[in-house]
Amino acid sequence: MTQPVGSQLSAEALKARKRRSLITALALAGFVVLIFAITVAKLGENASEVSKARGFEEALEAQRHKDEVVIIEEMPAEASDEAPSGETDGAAQ
Amino acid sequence: MNDTAIASIDASGDAHEARCASFADYVSLMKPRVMMLVVFTAFAGLVAAPVDMNLVMAGSAILSVALASGAAGALNMWYDHDIDAIMQRTATRPVPSGLIPREEALGLGLVVSAISVTLMALAANPLAAGLLAFSIFFYAMVYTQWLKRSTAQNIVIGGAAGAFPPLIGWVAATGEMSINAWLMFAIIFFWTPPHFWALSLWTSKEYAKAGVPMLPVTAGAKATRLQILLYSILLAPLGVLPAVTGLGGVGYGVVSAALGVWFLYGAVRVFASQAGDESAQGEADMKHAKRLFGASIIYLFALFAVLAIEHGLGLYRATGINLLSGGMS
């Protein structure tokens, strides 16, 4: 049968407790730093995805604009080809 | 934390000479040797996956696997304190030796389990975190609390717990399971019985004393040697299979084939011996079982090391056969 003597710890026991407390504190600090690093890495990944998406949208917008210009440029020629001769004449007058 | 070991007096008033639990005792509570193999296979699974992972995320995922392994070990020691105290091999563990109280082992196991699963969910994905949680549950509850004390097939079914790490590593990187990931799982699953039964051939008396129904205790040494051989016959070709599914390259194919033959040779020698028998010859033949136990560790380590090296260092050279993509390429 043993009885713990809580308040009468030996110097060695106190030293061991202090060491364990220090290691626990360091581990906790390390965990906080790790969570911060994960957050930063995730934000970095998200930012990269957003910029990729933005780049894609800009490229899409540019392509759309280009297509519209081409359509506008082609429209009069197509209109003159397809339009009946009388209308063309009328427009000319 | 436990300070009672040194600061205690017995009924007669004499101070115990027992030392105080150190940080190293808490580390040993987490079974660091098992943890190393677990971490290594998880790392190999992560590196072999066809998706590159951010270094911080990958490191955190591996750390969470290490923590989960340690937590499962602590929960195992919490529950098995009674049988650990009976067996010579485990009597010096921190809980049976009185260095760490049972409730601290339980508390540490539960807290570290929660931390590891949370960390995996943050660093990788919910599927990897779920698998990690399930592997802790499987080892601490299904194997330790149920199978270990109730059936001779304890380490066959319980072996699944140790087979999860490469699968978890793969899922952490890719977010999904694939045939190649399950293949790594299967290799460890079929490796576990010959590994543990080789050990139990020379520790069967201890297991019998503790009432653990390991195969040599319930079925005898001869049946165990036969089972070791049968599982080794299954394991050797299974170990080569990644070379024809695209997971392993030419280097893996050559190394795994050579290791498979070597492992099988060891198993045949154990089968032909009288290792584990009560006779004097049985004691003398025990060296074959011990050699196979050592060989099994080298076998698994080498297989996963080659996988990790091939994929991690860019040395992967396809074998030209890929069963998963429909034949030769």
Side-chain angles (χ1 to χ4, degrees), chain B residues 223-270:
Chain B
T224 305
R225 294 195 298 267
L226 175 65
Q227 291 293 319
I228 287 174
L229 181 65
L230 292 176
Y231 273 92
S232 301
I233 289 170
L234 286 171
L235 177 65
L238 190 68
V240 184
L241 209 53
V244 292
T245 62
L247 177 63
V250 176
Y252 177 86
V254 172
V255 172
S256 62
L259 284 169
V261 171
W262 178 57
F263 191 84
L264 204 52
Y265 172 71
V268 169
R269 290 196 74 176
V270 170

Side-chain angles (χ1 to χ4, degrees), chain B residues 22-302:
Chain B
S22 65
F23 180 71
D25 294 318
Y26 287 90
V27 172
S28 72
L29 187 69
M30 300 175 98
K31 297 191 176 182
R33 278 190 294 181
V34 174
M35 191 193 285
M36 281 198 298
L37 203 58
V38 164
V39 165
F40 183 70
T41 53
F43 172 77
L46 194 144
V47 172
V51 177
D52 287 334
M53 204 176 174
N54 178 296
L55 272 181
V56 175
M57 306 296 195
S60 303
I62 293 298
L63 177 65
S64 66
V65 171
L67 290 174
S69 166
L75 292 171
N76 172 272
M77 286 203 203
W78 159 72
Y79 191 81
D80 276 351
H81 73 105
D82 52 345
I83 56 175
D84 279 353
I86 296 168
M87 295 191 286
Q88 198 179 5
R89 187 175 65 88
T90 53
T92 54
R93 284 177 174 175
V95 177
S97 63
L99 281 170
I100 296 175
R102 277 191 77 203
E103 56 271 25
E104 276 195 17
L106 175 64
L108 187 78
L110 292 175
V111 169
V112 176
S113 293
I115 290 173
S116 67
V117 174
T118 307
L119 189 59
M120 181 62 93
L122 288 171
N125 52 67
L127 181 60
L131 282 170
L132 192 68
F134 182 73
S135 66
I136 298 170
F137 164 80
F138 197 86
Y139 183 74
M141 303 288 286
V142 179
Y143 169 70
T144 302
Q145 298 190 30
W146 176 39
L147 297 168
K148 189 173 179 180
R149 298 176 191 228
S150 62
T151 170
Q153 294 298 308
N154 47 16
I155 52 110
V156 178
I157 310 165
F164 273 110
L167 179 67
I168 293 168
W170 181 286
V171 172
T174 64
E176 59 188 23
M177 291 183 257
S178 74
I179 291 175
N180 278 328
W182 282 109
L183 190 54
M184 289 187 284
F185 175 96
I187 289 171
I188 302 183
F189 184 81
F190 284 97
W191 165 88
T192 307
H195 168 74
F196 266 104
W197 284 333
L199 167 78
S200 67
L201 275 176
W202 81 82
T203 54
S204 62
K205 283 177 188 166
E206 294 264 287
Y207 282 118
K209 201 165 67 176
V212 179
M214 290 298 279
L215 195 62
V217 178
T218 59
K222 194 179 176 186
T224 305
R225 294 195 298 267
L226 175 65
Q227 291 293 319
I228 287 174
L229 181 65
L230 292 176
Y231 273 92
S232 301
I233 289 170
L234 286 171
L235 177 65
L238 190 68
V240 184
L241 209 53
V244 292
T245 62
L247 177 63
V250 176
Y252 177 86
V254 172
V255 172
S256 62
L259 284 169
V261 171
W262 178 57
F263 191 84
L264 204 52
Y265 172 71
V268 169
R269 290 196 74 176
V270 170
F271 176 69
S273 76
Q274 292 175 26
D277 286 345
E278 290 293 328
S279 63
Q281 184 66 34
E283 285 299 314
D285 278 356
M286 206 61 92
K287 63 179 185 292
H288 296 302
K290 288 181 179 176
R291 273 185 200 150
L292 184 67
F293 177 74
S296 68
I297 295 170
I298 296 169
Y299 175 82
L300 195 71
F301 181 82

Side-chain angles (χ1 to χ4, degrees), chain A residues 1-6 8-10 12-14 16-17 19-20 23-24 31 34-35 37-39 41-42 45, chain B residues 1-4 6-11 16 19-23 26 54 56-57 60 63 115 119 121-123:
Chain A
M1 182 84 182
T2 59
Q3 298 168 341
V5 187
Q8 293 175 353
L9 296 177
S10 68
E12 194 198 339
L14 281 170
R17 177 191 275 185
R19 203 181 305 129
R20 287 198 308 260
I23 291 168
T24 307
F31 185 69
L34 190 62
I35 297 296
I38 290 171
T39 308
K42 281 209 162 181
E45 276 181 3
Chain B
M1 296 281 183
N2 179 37
D3 293 311
T4 58
I6 191 162
S8 64
I9 52 173
D10 61 20
H16 278 284
R19 63 182 177 81
C20 186
S22 65
F23 180 71
Y26 287 90
N54 178 296
V56 175
M57 306 296 195
S60 303
L63 177 65
I115 290 173
L119 189 59
L122 288 171

Side-chain angles (χ1 to χ4, degrees), chain A residues 14-62:
Chain A
L14 281 170
K15 200 176 162 189
R17 177 191 275 185
K18 202 173 171 185
R19 203 181 305 129
R20 287 198 308 260
S21 301
L22 185 69
I23 291 168
T24 307
L26 287 174
L28 191 63
F31 185 69
V32 171
V33 170
L34 190 62
I35 297 296
F36 177 73
I38 290 171
T39 308
V40 169
K42 281 209 162 181
L43 284 173
E45 276 181 3
N46 288 344
S48 159
E49 278 171 19
V50 167
S51 69
K52 270 183 197 167
R54 274 190 191 150
F56 176 73
E57 275 174 14
E58 280 167 11
L60 198 69
E61 188 61 34

